[in-house]
Amino acid sequence: MAALIEVRDLWKVYEQGDLRVEALRGVTLEIEAGESVAVMGASGSGKSTFMNVLGCLDRPTSGSFRLGGREIANASADERAELRCREIGFVFQSFNLIPRTSALENVELPLVYAGVAAAEQATRANEALRAVGLAGREQHLPNQLSGGQQQRVAIARALVNQPRLILADEPTGNLDTRSSMEILEIFQRLQRESGLTLIVVTHEPDIAAHFARVITFRDGEVISDTRQTPRVAVAGVRA
Amino acid sequence: MTLRAALRALRRNKLRSGLTTLGIVIGVAAVIAMVSIGRGANYAVQKQIESLGTNLLMVMPGATTSSGARSGWGGVSTLTVQDAQRIAEESSAIDGVTWFKRAVAQAVYGERNWSTSVQGVSPDYMTVRGWSMAQGEFFGQRDEDTANRVTVLGRTVADELFGPGEDPIGATIRLKDVPFRVIGVLQRKGQTMWGQDQDDVALIPFSTAERRVLGTEFLGAVDMIFATARSAAEISVAEEQITTLLRQRHRIQPGQDDDFTVRDLGEMAQASQTASRVMTSLLLAVASISLLVGGIGIMNILLVSVTERTREIGVRMAVGAKGRHILLQFLVEAIALSLLGGLLGAALGIGSARLVSALAGWPTLVSPGAVFGAVLFSAAVGVFFGFYPARKAASLDPIAALRYE
């Protein structure tokens, strides 16, 4: 079976007048289904651009990107939206929950766009919230939740459509150590239990240590790609 | 689901949503109130035309179209009973003719008295004017021939002279000190276009008026002739026939002014109706501008909202919203806003039309078509002015939207 993600000679070039920025310069790699990957690199190294392309938010300038064997480098906006809806779950550094909207409704959002029936939306969203340990907080608004809890709502939202790939952009960047550990613990459990593919951007080696593979970017190129035994995240008391 | 999301978004900013819809509310309310008042006015004018009698022509002595200084109608009486009778006999387009002479006189019954218009009329008066009796009966040809002292009272006079429970029929009242027996009371007819109370009359046979009460300059002089055309289409023919006949009878040379005036009441009514329609259209135009301004207000607020919620739009796109989902969401928000405004405005418009009726005494007539149309139009305003901001939202780049601070 082909790898979940196959990237060949991926280039992303931004041109603004005379200025030409090569954000990705011929990246080639494969990520198998079920892998847990940490992507590292300084800011401007191209890792964010790479994640945007993987997440179907952006199109590469050239090169090939196959997701589950399907070439999608040149997919249309609607096709990419469809992929984001069904195949990919996003977790952001700043949580990005919709304000003044309950946790449950935030989690239901991808189901709404996937065209899932209203009754099933609630059931699946409740389930996803339970999976991240937030049962009982369905009706809380984002500003009534702690940072760690908000990020867990965001993870539930990323999971609810049962995607094959979870992309997280510095998911612990705005969290304290304990909350960070909780998030990592959830990630590891999900991956263990449901075989999710997990790609996380971070620039903290402590966080990257919890992932089985570490890919490092510099100046738009992959400079190292190593495998390791991941450290097991142990959170303190569950909030 | 989109509707729910839209309503939730509007509820998040209650004050702003309320203020935004205000323009539409006022616009729709103004449109509906204006149409109601305009229609009410038209309806009232129509009622007045009907109350005067259908297809009615008035022939009055004296010229109103004179070039030099000349007295208007009511100056010197130049019309006679014979004129009226000849009109009835010779004009093919004319159905009925009646005539009267009148004077203001005191009506007295017991302790009560009332100054009213005493009118000597021909027996056909009721038919021609399309009037009917409330009580008793009208006088006939025999009363005319014998100059009987009988009278039929208008509602106002009957109410002024007789207390509640008193039966006017058979009572004897005095008109200009001449005793008359009341044989009937007329149905209420209301005001004329020029605000005259048509029920403030005491009708007596023409010959009685001429010989016993009002006196006359010469025998057979009348103050006015009423003629009805056979149909609305024949009004102008009837008018011409009367003019030709009277000019001939009065020996008026070609080039000389008429010594009488023929007036088509329908024409007058139409003129006043046209005037009220023009007024309504003008007010409607002003009200529509308010709708337009309201629409621009909605567009403005939605543009602010799109900017404000750029990040939210980015998130929605990241979790799988397509462009059209976002477009629809903002469009639905715009329509919800404007429709809400439209409905509130409709309620306010109907309410203020009622209020105008109650306070100013103007007749108003709420038109279901106008209410429906205005509400529908407000929704269309939402679509029209919501489309640009909605498209702007839908065409955002998800990455830029997510990064937006």
Side-chain angles (χ1 to χ4, degrees), chain A residues 48-65:
Chain A
S48 290
T49 308
F50 180 66
M51 290 296 271
N52 285 340
V53 172
L54 287 193
C56 295
L57 288 167
D58 205 355
R59 275 201 284 206
T61 310
S62 70
S64 154
F65 168 32

Side-chain angles (χ1 to χ4, degrees), chain A residues 52 57-58 78 81-82 84-85 90 92 94 96 98-101 105 108-110 112-113 121 157, chain B residues 1 4 8 12-13 311-312 315-325 329 397-399 402-403:
Chain A
N52 285 340
L57 288 167
D58 205 355
D78 271 5
E82 192 71 24
R84 291 198 296 270
C85 187
F90 286 93
F92 303 94
S94 49
N96 275 338
I98 294 182
R100 282 169 282 189
T101 304
E105 283 171 310
E108 281 175 353
L109 205 58
V112 169
Y113 294 121
Q121 283 177 22
R157 182 177 66 189
Chain B
M1 114 259 162
R4 220 174 39 159
R8 190 187 307 124
R12 270 195 244 155
N13 276 306
R311 237 190 136 90
E312 177 189 326
V315 173
R316 284 176 183 275
M317 286 176 157
V319 302
K322 290 176 186 163
R324 65 184 146 85
H325 288 127
Q329 187 191 339
D397 173 25
I399 300 169
L402 278 170
R403 244 186 249 137

